[in-house]
Amino acid sequence: MTFNAKQVREMVKKIPPGKVATYGQIAGMLGSPRAAQLVGWILHSTPENAKVPAQRVVNRFGGLAAGYTFGGPMRQKCELENEGVEFKSSNTVDLTKYLWQPKRFNDDQLS
DNA sequence: CTTTTGACTGAGT
DNA sequence: AACTCAGCCAAAA
């Protein structure tokens, strides 16, 4: 099964407030652990209309992606802080505390 | 239609 | 420890 952009969007929307997920994690739960690039690419191509909290999706270092959305990474940092995510320096979050860790990836997670 | 690229990650050198 | 290589798949050129 290949994952569609829609599937990625659905997944990202399921990330609880105050938590963050990594691209590899999302890619893995969608069936392709090496397709992290896709997740990033799809989120990039995802319109803001989709209401996808892309700010909760970070790279494996816990940092926001390079260009991010309109307004710059600073805006996303602010959004996450508003959700309760504590940032460290340089737009990075503490993954040991804020990484989204669903107990299991099943239909309840995959819609 | 083919080719390139891209908000990444893991393994190899 | 740092750098390089390969791979995953979708959208844009």
Side-chain angles (χ1 to χ4, degrees), chain A residues 1-3 8 22-42 60:
Chain A
M1 144 210 172
T2 57
F3 60 89
V8 175
T22 67
Y23 296 100
Q25 185 175 15
I26 295 170
M29 62 171 71
L30 289 176
S32 299
R34 300 293 165 171
Q37 184 86 16
L38 276 302
V39 179
W41 169 235
I42 289 168
R60 65 180 176 97

Side-chain angles (χ1 to χ4, degrees), chain A residues 44-67:
Chain A
H44 181 205
S45 63
T46 301
E48 293 185 53
N49 314 46
K51 299 175 183 171
V52 176
Q55 63 272 16
R56 294 182 191 154
V57 185
V58 296
N59 60 27
R60 65 180 176 97
F61 298 106
L64 292 173

Side-chain angles (χ1 to χ4, degrees), chain A residues 68-87:
Chain A
Y68 230 80
T69 56
F70 181 79
M74 294 173 63
R75 178 186 166 198
Q76 310 315 340
K77 179 178 180 233
C78 185
E79 293 291 297
L80 288 171
E81 288 178 321
N82 185 41
E83 294 180 359
V85 177
E86 183 179 17
F87 269 73

Side-chain angles (χ1 to χ4, degrees), chain A residues 79-111:
Chain A
E79 293 291 297
L80 288 171
E81 288 178 321
N82 185 41
E83 294 180 359
V85 177
E86 183 179 17
F87 269 73
K88 297 191 293 188
S89 58
S90 302
N91 300 334
T92 58
V93 303
D94 189 343
L95 291 178
T96 60
K97 297 173 76 169
Y98 298 107
L99 179 63
W100 182 37
Q101 299 176 332
K103 299 177 191 294
R104 64 192 210 188
F105 304 118
N106 276 324
D107 301 82
D108 66 304
Q109 299 291 345
L110 295 172
S111 67

